[in-house]
PDB file of all heavy atoms in Angstrom:
ATOM      1  N   ASN A   1     -28.179  15.711 -11.606  1.00 95.00           N
ATOM      2  CA  ASN A   1     -27.419  15.637 -10.399  1.00 95.00           C
ATOM      3  C   ASN A   1     -26.794  14.227 -10.489  1.00 95.00           C
ATOM      4  O   ASN A   1     -25.527  14.104 -10.226  1.00 95.00           O
ATOM      5  CB  ASN A   1     -28.161  15.878  -9.216  1.00 95.00           C
ATOM      6  CG  ASN A   1     -27.219  15.876  -7.902  1.00 95.00           C
ATOM      7  OD1 ASN A   1     -26.150  16.513  -8.024  1.00 95.00           O
ATOM      8  ND2 ASN A   1     -27.791  15.220  -6.911  1.00 95.00           N
ATOM      9  N   ASP A   2     -27.551  13.226 -10.842  1.00 96.00           N
ATOM     10  CA  ASP A   2     -26.952  11.833 -10.913  1.00 96.00           C
ATOM     11  C   ASP A   2     -25.858  11.755 -11.948  1.00 96.00           C
ATOM     12  O   ASP A   2     -24.857  11.164 -11.711  1.00 96.00           O
ATOM     13  CB  ASP A   2     -28.085  10.903 -11.138  1.00 96.00           C
ATOM     14  CG  ASP A   2     -28.974  10.665  -9.962  1.00 96.00           C
ATOM     15  OD1 ASP A   2     -28.592  11.019  -8.907  1.00 96.00           O
ATOM     16  OD2 ASP A   2     -30.046   9.919 -10.212  1.00 96.00           O
ATOM     17  N   LYS A   3     -26.161  12.453 -13.070  1.00 95.00           N
ATOM     18  CA  LYS A   3     -25.100  12.287 -14.086  1.00 95.00           C
ATOM     19  C   LYS A   3     -23.933  13.061 -13.745  1.00 95.00           C
ATOM     20  O   LYS A   3     -22.669  12.736 -14.095  1.00 95.00           O
ATOM     21  CB  LYS A   3     -25.644  12.922 -15.394  1.00 95.00           C
ATOM     22  CG  LYS A   3     -26.734  12.083 -16.014  1.00 95.00           C
ATOM     23  CD  LYS A   3     -27.311  12.723 -17.290  1.00 95.00           C
ATOM     24  CE  LYS A   3     -28.444  11.845 -17.904  1.00 95.00           C
ATOM     25  NZ  LYS A   3     -29.123  12.429 -19.012  1.00 95.00           N
ATOM     26  N   LEU A   4     -23.973  14.230 -12.929  1.00 95.00           N
ATOM     27  CA  LEU A   4     -22.902  15.079 -12.545  1.00 95.00           C
ATOM     28  C   LEU A   4     -22.082  14.345 -11.585  1.00 95.00           C
ATOM     29  O   LEU A   4     -20.764  14.314 -11.462  1.00 95.00           O
ATOM     30  CB  LEU A   4     -23.341  16.392 -12.014  1.00 95.00           C
ATOM     31  CG  LEU A   4     -23.734  17.431 -12.902  1.00 95.00           C
ATOM     32  CD1 LEU A   4     -24.499  18.565 -12.164  1.00 95.00           C
ATOM     33  CD2 LEU A   4     -22.523  17.991 -13.693  1.00 95.00           C
ATOM     34  N   ASN A   5     -22.777  13.585 -10.672  1.00 95.00           N
ATOM     35  CA  ASN A   5     -22.022  12.883  -9.521  1.00 95.00           C
ATOM     36  C   ASN A   5     -21.564  11.555  -9.929  1.00 95.00           C
ATOM     37  O   ASN A   5     -20.992  10.831  -8.997  1.00 95.00           O
ATOM     38  CB  ASN A   5     -22.893  12.917  -8.312  1.00 95.00           C
ATOM     39  CG  ASN A   5     -22.865  14.101  -7.652  1.00 95.00           C
ATOM     40  OD1 ASN A   5     -21.894  14.792  -7.256  1.00 95.00           O
ATOM     41  ND2 ASN A   5     -24.080  14.748  -7.537  1.00 95.00           N
ATOM     42  N   ALA A   6     -21.769  11.073 -11.045  1.00 93.00           N
ATOM     43  CA  ALA A   6     -21.396   9.721 -11.484  1.00 93.00           C
ATOM     44  C   ALA A   6     -19.915   9.608 -11.322  1.00 93.00           C
ATOM     45  O   ALA A   6     -19.106  10.503 -11.769  1.00 93.00           O
ATOM     46  CB  ALA A   6     -21.779   9.417 -12.973  1.00 93.00           C
ATOM     47  N   ARG A   7     -19.353   8.532 -10.750  1.00 94.00           N
ATOM     48  CA  ARG A   7     -18.009   8.241 -10.666  1.00 94.00           C
ATOM     49  C   ARG A   7     -17.254   9.050  -9.565  1.00 94.00           C
ATOM     50  O   ARG A   7     -16.016   8.872  -9.369  1.00 94.00           O
ATOM     51  CB  ARG A   7     -17.352   8.206 -11.848  1.00 94.00           C
ATOM     52  CG  ARG A   7     -17.809   6.906 -12.683  1.00 94.00           C
ATOM     53  CD  ARG A   7     -17.122   6.825 -14.027  1.00 94.00           C
ATOM     54  NE  ARG A   7     -17.814   7.677 -15.069  1.00 94.00           N
ATOM     55  CZ  ARG A   7     -18.975   7.523 -15.581  1.00 94.00           C
ATOM     56  NH1 ARG A   7     -19.751   6.615 -15.259  1.00 94.00           N
ATOM     57  NH2 ARG A   7     -19.442   8.232 -16.587  1.00 94.00           N
ATOM     58  N   ILE A   8     -17.952  10.111  -8.976  1.00 96.00           N
ATOM     59  CA  ILE A   8     -17.238  10.866  -7.896  1.00 96.00           C
ATOM     60  C   ILE A   8     -16.746  10.044  -6.690  1.00 96.00           C
ATOM     61  O   ILE A   8     -15.630  10.204  -6.253  1.00 96.00           O
ATOM     62  CB  ILE A   8     -18.162  12.077  -7.602  1.00 96.00           C
ATOM     63  CG1 ILE A   8     -18.323  13.116  -8.838  1.00 96.00           C
ATOM     64  CG2 ILE A   8     -17.390  12.940  -6.405  1.00 96.00           C
ATOM     65  CD1 ILE A   8     -17.074  13.850  -9.159  1.00 96.00           C
ATOM     66  N   LEU A   9     -17.671   9.210  -6.290  1.00 95.00           N
ATOM     67  CA  LEU A   9     -17.454   8.269  -5.131  1.00 95.00           C
ATOM     68  C   LEU A   9     -16.344   7.350  -5.472  1.00 95.00           C
ATOM     69  O   LEU A   9     -15.378   7.061  -4.642  1.00 95.00           O
ATOM     70  CB  LEU A   9     -18.735   7.558  -4.812  1.00 95.00           C
ATOM     71  CG  LEU A   9     -18.585   6.709  -3.496  1.00 95.00           C
ATOM     72  CD1 LEU A   9     -18.213   7.558  -2.241  1.00 95.00           C
ATOM     73  CD2 LEU A   9     -19.828   5.914  -3.246  1.00 95.00           C
ATOM     74  N   LEU A  10     -16.331   6.856  -6.662  1.00 96.00           N
ATOM     75  CA  LEU A  10     -15.125   5.982  -7.114  1.00 96.00           C
ATOM     76  C   LEU A  10     -13.811   6.695  -7.152  1.00 96.00           C
ATOM     77  O   LEU A  10     -12.790   6.095  -6.703  1.00 96.00           O
ATOM     78  CB  LEU A  10     -15.545   5.370  -8.529  1.00 96.00           C
ATOM     79  CG  LEU A  10     -14.492   4.322  -8.977  1.00 96.00           C
ATOM     80  CD1 LEU A  10     -14.351   3.131  -8.040  1.00 96.00           C
ATOM     81  CD2 LEU A  10     -14.917   3.717 -10.254  1.00 96.00           C
ATOM     82  N   ILE A  11     -13.794   7.967  -7.482  1.00 96.00           N
ATOM     83  CA  ILE A  11     -12.589   8.774  -7.536  1.00 96.00           C
ATOM     84  C   ILE A  11     -12.153   8.918  -6.091  1.00 96.00           C
ATOM     85  O   ILE A  11     -10.961   8.807  -5.773  1.00 96.00           O
ATOM     86  CB  ILE A  11     -12.849  10.136  -8.248  1.00 96.00           C
ATOM     87  CG1 ILE A  11     -13.093   9.949  -9.791  1.00 96.00           C
ATOM     88  CG2 ILE A  11     -11.627  11.147  -7.968  1.00 96.00           C
ATOM     89  CD1 ILE A  11     -13.563  11.146 -10.469  1.00 96.00           C
ATOM     90  N   LYS A  12     -13.028   9.367  -5.253  1.00 96.00           N
ATOM     91  CA  LYS A  12     -12.703   9.559  -3.856  1.00 96.00           C
ATOM     92  C   LYS A  12     -12.178   8.208  -3.195  1.00 96.00           C
ATOM     93  O   LYS A  12     -11.328   8.284  -2.313  1.00 96.00           O
ATOM     94  CB  LYS A  12     -13.914  10.046  -2.978  1.00 96.00           C
ATOM     95  CG  LYS A  12     -14.247  11.521  -3.424  1.00 96.00           C
ATOM     96  CD  LYS A  12     -15.532  11.975  -2.938  1.00 96.00           C
ATOM     97  CE  LYS A  12     -15.502  12.351  -1.547  1.00 96.00           C
ATOM     98  NZ  LYS A  12     -16.845  12.989  -1.035  1.00 96.00           N
ATOM     99  N   THR A  13     -12.744   7.183  -3.608  1.00 96.00           N
ATOM    100  CA  THR A  13     -12.395   5.798  -3.066  1.00 96.00           C
ATOM    101  C   THR A  13     -10.874   5.523  -3.574  1.00 96.00           C
ATOM    102  O   THR A  13     -10.052   5.055  -2.790  1.00 96.00           O
ATOM    103  CB  THR A  13     -13.220   4.696  -3.507  1.00 96.00           C
ATOM    104  OG1 THR A  13     -14.618   4.953  -3.138  1.00 96.00           O
ATOM    105  CG2 THR A  13     -12.847   3.368  -3.041  1.00 96.00           C
ATOM    106  N   CYS A  14     -10.572   5.869  -4.827  1.00 96.00           N
ATOM    107  CA  CYS A  14      -9.271   5.664  -5.311  1.00 96.00           C
ATOM    108  C   CYS A  14      -8.221   6.496  -4.564  1.00 96.00           C
ATOM    109  O   CYS A  14      -7.146   6.132  -4.236  1.00 96.00           O
ATOM    110  CB  CYS A  14      -9.085   6.016  -6.837  1.00 96.00           C
ATOM    111  SG  CYS A  14      -9.939   4.755  -7.864  1.00 96.00           S
ATOM    112  N   VAL A  15      -8.645   7.772  -4.173  1.00 96.00           N
ATOM    113  CA  VAL A  15      -7.774   8.712  -3.458  1.00 96.00           C
ATOM    114  C   VAL A  15      -7.464   8.063  -2.086  1.00 96.00           C
ATOM    115  O   VAL A  15      -6.283   8.047  -1.628  1.00 96.00           O
ATOM    116  CB  VAL A  15      -8.371  10.061  -3.361  1.00 96.00           C
ATOM    117  CG1 VAL A  15      -7.696  10.915  -2.362  1.00 96.00           C
ATOM    118  CG2 VAL A  15      -8.322  10.837  -4.710  1.00 96.00           C
ATOM    119  N   ALA A  16      -8.492   7.517  -1.558  1.00 95.00           N
ATOM    120  CA  ALA A  16      -8.348   6.940  -0.102  1.00 95.00           C
ATOM    121  C   ALA A  16      -7.647   5.600  -0.227  1.00 95.00           C
ATOM    122  O   ALA A  16      -6.889   5.193   0.734  1.00 95.00           O
ATOM    123  CB  ALA A  16      -9.644   6.703   0.429  1.00 95.00           C
ATOM    124  N   LEU A  17      -7.621   4.939  -1.342  1.00 95.00           N
ATOM    125  CA  LEU A  17      -7.003   3.680  -1.505  1.00 95.00           C
ATOM    126  C   LEU A  17      -5.546   3.694  -1.741  1.00 95.00           C
ATOM    127  O   LEU A  17      -4.811   2.856  -1.214  1.00 95.00           O
ATOM    128  CB  LEU A  17      -7.637   2.843  -2.555  1.00 95.00           C
ATOM    129  CG  LEU A  17      -7.546   1.330  -2.774  1.00 95.00           C
ATOM    130  CD1 LEU A  17      -8.195   0.760  -1.491  1.00 95.00           C
ATOM    131  CD2 LEU A  17      -8.185   0.860  -4.019  1.00 95.00           C
ATOM    132  N   CYS A  18      -4.987   4.729  -2.329  1.00 94.00           N
ATOM    133  CA  CYS A  18      -3.609   4.903  -2.652  1.00 94.00           C
ATOM    134  C   CYS A  18      -2.783   4.772  -1.356  1.00 94.00           C
ATOM    135  O   CYS A  18      -1.815   4.031  -1.458  1.00 94.00           O
ATOM    136  CB  CYS A  18      -3.401   6.322  -3.325  1.00 94.00           C
ATOM    137  SG  CYS A  18      -3.855   6.247  -5.066  1.00 94.00           S
ATOM    138  N   PRO A  19      -2.941   5.559  -0.148  1.00 94.00           N
ATOM    139  CA  PRO A  19      -2.050   5.390   0.888  1.00 94.00           C
ATOM    140  C   PRO A  19      -2.204   3.958   1.513  1.00 94.00           C
ATOM    141  O   PRO A  19      -1.267   3.415   2.029  1.00 94.00           O
ATOM    142  CB  PRO A  19      -2.557   6.491   1.845  1.00 94.00           C
ATOM    143  CG  PRO A  19      -3.436   7.241   1.162  1.00 94.00           C
ATOM    144  CD  PRO A  19      -3.894   6.662  -0.152  1.00 94.00           C
ATOM    145  N   LEU A  20      -3.526   3.344   1.384  1.00 94.00           N
ATOM    146  CA  LEU A  20      -3.568   2.031   1.984  1.00 94.00           C
ATOM    147  C   LEU A  20      -2.861   0.983   1.208  1.00 94.00           C
ATOM    148  O   LEU A  20      -2.263   0.106   1.802  1.00 94.00           O
ATOM    149  CB  LEU A  20      -5.130   1.654   2.006  1.00 94.00           C
ATOM    150  CG  LEU A  20      -5.960   2.590   2.972  1.00 94.00           C
ATOM    151  CD1 LEU A  20      -7.403   2.133   2.831  1.00 94.00           C
ATOM    152  CD2 LEU A  20      -5.449   2.459   4.386  1.00 94.00           C
ATOM    153  N   VAL A  21      -2.772   1.042  -0.096  1.00 93.00           N
ATOM    154  CA  VAL A  21      -1.962   0.216  -0.954  1.00 93.00           C
ATOM    155  C   VAL A  21      -0.518   0.418  -0.596  1.00 93.00           C
ATOM    156  O   VAL A  21       0.324  -0.498  -0.461  1.00 93.00           O
ATOM    157  CB  VAL A  21      -2.200   0.311  -2.331  1.00 93.00           C
ATOM    158  CG1 VAL A  21      -1.281  -0.403  -3.300  1.00 93.00           C
ATOM    159  CG2 VAL A  21      -3.638  -0.035  -2.677  1.00 93.00           C
ATOM    160  N   GLY A  22      -0.103   1.734  -0.334  1.00 91.00           N
ATOM    161  CA  GLY A  22       1.241   1.983   0.007  1.00 91.00           C
ATOM    162  C   GLY A  22       1.708   1.393   1.355  1.00 91.00           C
ATOM    163  O   GLY A  22       2.693   0.951   1.468  1.00 91.00           O
ATOM    164  N   LEU A  23       0.702   1.370   2.212  1.00 92.00           N
ATOM    165  CA  LEU A  23       0.860   0.686   3.605  1.00 92.00           C
ATOM    166  C   LEU A  23       1.105  -0.832   3.426  1.00 92.00           C
ATOM    167  O   LEU A  23       1.813  -1.459   4.135  1.00 92.00           O
ATOM    168  CB  LEU A  23      -0.218   1.026   4.618  1.00 92.00           C
ATOM    169  CG  LEU A  23      -0.052   2.425   5.108  1.00 92.00           C
ATOM    170  CD1 LEU A  23      -1.375   2.697   6.007  1.00 92.00           C
ATOM    171  CD2 LEU A  23       1.204   2.762   5.921  1.00 92.00           C
ATOM    172  N   LEU A  24       0.308  -1.449   2.432  1.00 91.00           N
ATOM    173  CA  LEU A  24       0.495  -2.802   2.202  1.00 91.00           C
ATOM    174  C   LEU A  24       1.964  -3.035   1.700  1.00 91.00           C
ATOM    175  O   LEU A  24       2.515  -4.018   2.104  1.00 91.00           O
ATOM    176  CB  LEU A  24      -0.532  -3.142   1.038  1.00 91.00           C
ATOM    177  CG  LEU A  24      -0.327  -4.683   0.477  1.00 91.00           C
ATOM    178  CD1 LEU A  24      -0.648  -5.583   1.671  1.00 91.00           C
ATOM    179  CD2 LEU A  24      -1.184  -4.769  -0.690  1.00 91.00           C
ATOM    180  N   GLY A  25       2.591  -2.117   0.944  1.00 87.00           N
ATOM    181  CA  GLY A  25       3.885  -2.227   0.490  1.00 87.00           C
ATOM    182  C   GLY A  25       4.795  -2.173   1.617  1.00 87.00           C
ATOM    183  O   GLY A  25       5.848  -2.803   1.756  1.00 87.00           O
ATOM    184  N   THR A  26       4.538  -1.286   2.655  1.00 87.00           N
ATOM    185  CA  THR A  26       5.191  -1.340   3.927  1.00 87.00           C
ATOM    186  C   THR A  26       5.341  -2.578   4.627  1.00 87.00           C
ATOM    187  O   THR A  26       6.363  -3.096   5.135  1.00 87.00           O
ATOM    188  CB  THR A  26       4.784  -0.164   4.864  1.00 87.00           C
ATOM    189  OG1 THR A  26       4.824   1.031   4.105  1.00 87.00           O
ATOM    190  CG2 THR A  26       5.523  -0.079   6.101  1.00 87.00           C
ATOM    191  N   VAL A  27       4.092  -3.245   4.748  1.00 88.00           N
ATOM    192  CA  VAL A  27       4.049  -4.461   5.395  1.00 88.00           C
ATOM    193  C   VAL A  27       4.897  -5.543   4.678  1.00 88.00           C
ATOM    194  O   VAL A  27       5.606  -6.322   5.294  1.00 88.00           O
ATOM    195  CB  VAL A  27       2.603  -4.869   5.531  1.00 88.00           C
ATOM    196  CG1 VAL A  27       2.398  -6.328   6.069  1.00 88.00           C
ATOM    197  CG2 VAL A  27       1.854  -3.982   6.591  1.00 88.00           C
ATOM    198  N   THR A  28       4.733  -5.528   3.367  1.00 86.00           N
ATOM    199  CA  THR A  28       5.469  -6.549   2.679  1.00 86.00           C
ATOM    200  C   THR A  28       6.966  -6.339   2.650  1.00 86.00           C
ATOM    201  O   THR A  28       7.740  -7.286   2.814  1.00 86.00           O
ATOM    202  CB  THR A  28       4.982  -6.670   1.238  1.00 86.00           C
ATOM    203  OG1 THR A  28       5.125  -5.464   0.551  1.00 86.00           O
ATOM    204  CG2 THR A  28       3.533  -7.182   1.105  1.00 86.00           C
ATOM    205  N   GLY A  29       7.327  -5.142   2.697  1.00 83.00           N
ATOM    206  CA  GLY A  29       8.754  -4.796   2.784  1.00 83.00           C
ATOM    207  C   GLY A  29       9.369  -5.228   4.061  1.00 83.00           C
ATOM    208  O   GLY A  29      10.434  -5.727   4.301  1.00 83.00           O
ATOM    209  N   MET A  30       8.548  -4.991   5.193  1.00 84.00           N
ATOM    210  CA  MET A  30       9.005  -5.357   6.593  1.00 84.00           C
ATOM    211  C   MET A  30       9.100  -6.805   6.616  1.00 84.00           C
ATOM    212  O   MET A  30       9.955  -7.368   7.386  1.00 84.00           O
ATOM    213  CB  MET A  30       8.118  -4.685   7.601  1.00 84.00           C
ATOM    214  CG  MET A  30       8.292  -3.141   7.682  1.00 84.00           C
ATOM    215  SD  MET A  30      10.017  -2.543   7.880  1.00 84.00           S
ATOM    216  CE  MET A  30      10.432  -3.213   9.337  1.00 84.00           C
ATOM    217  N   ILE A  31       8.167  -7.518   6.049  1.00 85.00           N
ATOM    218  CA  ILE A  31       8.231  -9.042   6.039  1.00 85.00           C
ATOM    219  C   ILE A  31       9.580  -9.456   5.368  1.00 85.00           C
ATOM    220  O   ILE A  31      10.202 -10.292   5.862  1.00 85.00           O
ATOM    221  CB  ILE A  31       6.939  -9.641   5.427  1.00 85.00           C
ATOM    222  CG1 ILE A  31       5.766  -9.408   6.192  1.00 85.00           C
ATOM    223  CG2 ILE A  31       7.223 -11.141   5.044  1.00 85.00           C
ATOM    224  CD1 ILE A  31       4.463  -9.796   5.593  1.00 85.00           C
ATOM    225  N   THR A  32       9.893  -8.739   4.244  1.00 79.00           N
ATOM    226  CA  THR A  32      11.193  -9.131   3.609  1.00 79.00           C
ATOM    227  C   THR A  32      12.372  -8.908   4.580  1.00 79.00           C
ATOM    228  O   THR A  32      13.265  -9.677   4.618  1.00 79.00           O
ATOM    229  CB  THR A  32      11.297  -8.247   2.343  1.00 79.00           C
ATOM    230  OG1 THR A  32      10.198  -8.475   1.460  1.00 79.00           O
ATOM    231  CG2 THR A  32      12.598  -8.577   1.580  1.00 79.00           C
ATOM    232  N   VAL A  33      12.377  -7.796   5.216  1.00 79.00           N
ATOM    233  CA  VAL A  33      13.420  -7.452   6.152  1.00 79.00           C
ATOM    234  C   VAL A  33      13.461  -8.555   7.206  1.00 79.00           C
ATOM    235  O   VAL A  33      14.570  -9.030   7.627  1.00 79.00           O
ATOM    236  CB  VAL A  33      13.257  -6.018   6.833  1.00 79.00           C
ATOM    237  CG1 VAL A  33      14.187  -5.892   8.029  1.00 79.00           C
ATOM    238  CG2 VAL A  33      13.389  -4.997   5.871  1.00 79.00           C
ATOM    239  N   PHE A  34      12.417  -8.905   7.833  1.00 82.00           N
ATOM    240  CA  PHE A  34      12.363  -9.942   8.795  1.00 82.00           C
ATOM    241  C   PHE A  34      12.788 -11.384   8.253  1.00 82.00           C
ATOM    242  O   PHE A  34      13.492 -12.158   8.952  1.00 82.00           O
ATOM    243  CB  PHE A  34      11.060 -10.074   9.565  1.00 82.00           C
ATOM    244  CG  PHE A  34      10.682  -8.856  10.257  1.00 82.00           C
ATOM    245  CD1 PHE A  34       9.425  -8.386  10.279  1.00 82.00           C
ATOM    246  CD2 PHE A  34      11.588  -8.230  11.156  1.00 82.00           C
ATOM    247  CE1 PHE A  34       9.075  -7.276  11.006  1.00 82.00           C
ATOM    248  CE2 PHE A  34      11.255  -7.133  11.884  1.00 82.00           C
ATOM    249  CZ  PHE A  34       9.945  -6.575  11.844  1.00 82.00           C
ATOM    250  N   GLU A  35      12.432 -11.626   7.056  1.00 80.00           N
ATOM    251  CA  GLU A  35      13.002 -12.858   6.369  1.00 80.00           C
ATOM    252  C   GLU A  35      14.502 -12.858   6.307  1.00 80.00           C
ATOM    253  O   GLU A  35      15.145 -13.847   6.582  1.00 80.00           O
ATOM    254  CB  GLU A  35      12.297 -13.095   5.048  1.00 80.00           C
ATOM    255  CG  GLU A  35      10.858 -13.556   5.192  1.00 80.00           C
ATOM    256  CD  GLU A  35      10.298 -13.733   3.698  1.00 80.00           C
ATOM    257  OE1 GLU A  35      10.762 -13.217   2.716  1.00 80.00           O
ATOM    258  OE2 GLU A  35       9.157 -14.091   3.646  1.00 80.00           O
ATOM    259  N   ILE A  36      14.994 -11.582   5.868  1.00 76.00           N
ATOM    260  CA  ILE A  36      16.459 -11.548   5.667  1.00 76.00           C
ATOM    261  C   ILE A  36      17.194 -11.735   7.207  1.00 76.00           C
ATOM    262  O   ILE A  36      18.145 -12.365   7.130  1.00 76.00           O
ATOM    263  CB  ILE A  36      16.748 -10.227   5.009  1.00 76.00           C
ATOM    264  CG1 ILE A  36      16.391 -10.217   3.593  1.00 76.00           C
ATOM    265  CG2 ILE A  36      18.256  -9.973   5.137  1.00 76.00           C
ATOM    266  CD1 ILE A  36      16.443  -8.883   2.958  1.00 76.00           C
ATOM    267  N   MET A  37      16.558 -11.147   8.060  1.00 77.00           N
ATOM    268  CA  MET A  37      17.112 -11.173   9.405  1.00 77.00           C
ATOM    269  C   MET A  37      17.103 -12.709   9.912  1.00 77.00           C
ATOM    270  O   MET A  37      18.001 -13.081  10.558  1.00 77.00           O
ATOM    271  CB  MET A  37      16.368 -10.250  10.360  1.00 77.00           C
ATOM    272  CG  MET A  37      16.680  -8.858  10.172  1.00 77.00           C
ATOM    273  SD  MET A  37      15.666  -7.696  11.173  1.00 77.00           S
ATOM    274  CE  MET A  37      16.144  -8.173  12.837  1.00 77.00           C
ATOM    275  N   ALA A  38      16.084 -13.409   9.583  1.00 79.00           N
ATOM    276  CA  ALA A  38      15.910 -14.748  10.011  1.00 79.00           C
ATOM    277  C   ALA A  38      16.991 -15.633   9.291  1.00 79.00           C
ATOM    278  O   ALA A  38      17.447 -16.582   9.968  1.00 79.00           O
ATOM    279  CB  ALA A  38      14.506 -15.191   9.745  1.00 79.00           C
ATOM    280  N   VAL A  39      17.190 -15.367   8.001  1.00 79.00           N
ATOM    281  CA  VAL A  39      18.107 -16.274   7.280  1.00 79.00           C
ATOM    282  C   VAL A  39      19.551 -15.739   7.513  1.00 79.00           C
ATOM    283  O   VAL A  39      20.392 -16.622   7.728  1.00 79.00           O
ATOM    284  CB  VAL A  39      17.765 -16.138   5.855  1.00 79.00           C
ATOM    285  CG1 VAL A  39      18.741 -16.980   4.957  1.00 79.00           C
ATOM    286  CG2 VAL A  39      16.243 -16.770   5.627  1.00 79.00           C
ATOM    287  N   GLN A  40      19.849 -14.504   7.356  1.00 76.00           N
ATOM    288  CA  GLN A  40      21.191 -14.018   7.264  1.00 76.00           C
ATOM    289  C   GLN A  40      21.600 -13.477   8.726  1.00 76.00           C
ATOM    290  O   GLN A  40      22.777 -13.233   8.868  1.00 76.00           O
ATOM    291  CB  GLN A  40      21.333 -12.817   6.323  1.00 76.00           C
ATOM    292  CG  GLN A  40      20.935 -13.153   4.918  1.00 76.00           C
ATOM    293  CD  GLN A  40      22.049 -13.999   4.260  1.00 76.00           C
ATOM    294  OE1 GLN A  40      23.227 -13.840   4.546  1.00 76.00           O
ATOM    295  NE2 GLN A  40      21.680 -14.930   3.319  1.00 76.00           N
ATOM    296  N   GLY A  41      20.592 -13.236   9.520  1.00 71.00           N
ATOM    297  CA  GLY A  41      21.111 -12.423  10.843  1.00 71.00           C
ATOM    298  C   GLY A  41      21.119 -10.967  10.589  1.00 71.00           C
ATOM    299  O   GLY A  41      20.751 -10.540   9.465  1.00 71.00           O
ATOM    300  N   THR A  42      21.544 -10.277  11.578  1.00 68.00           N
ATOM    301  CA  THR A  42      21.567  -8.900  11.408  1.00 68.00           C
ATOM    302  C   THR A  42      22.838  -8.356  10.905  1.00 68.00           C
ATOM    303  O   THR A  42      23.251  -7.186  10.919  1.00 68.00           O
ATOM    304  CB  THR A  42      21.259  -8.190  12.848  1.00 68.00           C
ATOM    305  OG1 THR A  42      22.214  -8.690  13.892  1.00 68.00           O
ATOM    306  CG2 THR A  42      19.900  -8.440  13.216  1.00 68.00           C
ATOM    307  N   GLY A  43      23.791  -9.210  10.556  1.00 67.00           N
ATOM    308  CA  GLY A  43      25.165  -8.865   9.979  1.00 67.00           C
ATOM    309  C   GLY A  43      25.291  -8.389   8.685  1.00 67.00           C
ATOM    310  O   GLY A  43      26.261  -7.909   8.279  1.00 67.00           O
ATOM    311  N   ASN A  44      24.292  -8.395   7.800  1.00 70.00           N
ATOM    312  CA  ASN A  44      24.381  -7.813   6.496  1.00 70.00           C
ATOM    313  C   ASN A  44      23.359  -6.670   6.290  1.00 70.00           C
ATOM    314  O   ASN A  44      22.253  -6.804   5.948  1.00 70.00           O
ATOM    315  CB  ASN A  44      23.898  -9.115   5.475  1.00 70.00           C
ATOM    316  CG  ASN A  44      24.367  -8.634   4.085  1.00 70.00           C
ATOM    317  OD1 ASN A  44      24.543  -7.527   3.765  1.00 70.00           O
ATOM    318  ND2 ASN A  44      24.375  -9.747   3.239  1.00 70.00           N
ATOM    319  N   PRO A  45      23.903  -5.474   6.585  1.00 74.00           N
ATOM    320  CA  PRO A  45      23.142  -4.304   6.503  1.00 74.00           C
ATOM    321  C   PRO A  45      22.655  -3.974   5.068  1.00 74.00           C
ATOM    322  O   PRO A  45      21.634  -3.387   4.877  1.00 74.00           O
ATOM    323  CB  PRO A  45      23.935  -3.184   7.058  1.00 74.00           C
ATOM    324  CG  PRO A  45      25.269  -3.706   7.020  1.00 74.00           C
ATOM    325  CD  PRO A  45      25.247  -5.191   7.052  1.00 74.00           C
ATOM    326  N   ARG A  46      23.458  -4.314   4.140  1.00 75.00           N
ATOM    327  CA  ARG A  46      23.026  -3.959   2.719  1.00 75.00           C
ATOM    328  C   ARG A  46      21.697  -4.752   2.377  1.00 75.00           C
ATOM    329  O   ARG A  46      20.761  -4.220   1.698  1.00 75.00           O
ATOM    330  CB  ARG A  46      24.080  -4.547   1.754  1.00 75.00           C
ATOM    331  CG  ARG A  46      23.751  -4.184   0.311  1.00 75.00           C
ATOM    332  CD  ARG A  46      24.984  -4.255  -0.490  1.00 75.00           C
ATOM    333  NE  ARG A  46      25.970  -3.360  -0.117  1.00 75.00           N
ATOM    334  CZ  ARG A  46      26.908  -2.894  -0.880  1.00 75.00           C
ATOM    335  NH1 ARG A  46      27.119  -3.336  -1.987  1.00 75.00           N
ATOM    336  NH2 ARG A  46      27.730  -2.062  -0.322  1.00 75.00           N
TER     337      ARG A  46
END
């Protein structure tokens, strides 16, 4: 049973980690948006 279940928890952790890392990307992207707004204002939609 130990041999069968080896690395299963690590696999499940990776599955759970993927959306969390994606959310980290959301936070860093929003920080980028706020930096652009602070420097350029809201006049440059591109």
Side-chain angles (χ1 to χ4, degrees):
N1 188 44
D2 287 348
K3 289 176 184 175
L4 282 169
N5 284 308
R7 292 178 277 292
I8 295 290
L9 185 61
L10 187 56
I11 291 169
K12 291 167 81 174
T13 302
C14 288
V15 169
L17 200 60
C18 284
L20 296 176
V21 173
L23 287 174
L24 174 67
T26 300
V27 171
T28 58
M30 291 310 294
I31 289 171
T32 303
V33 170
F34 293 137
E35 285 177 353
I36 290 169
M37 288 172 63
V39 173
Q40 302 283 329
T42 58
N44 194 339
R46 182 170 295 201

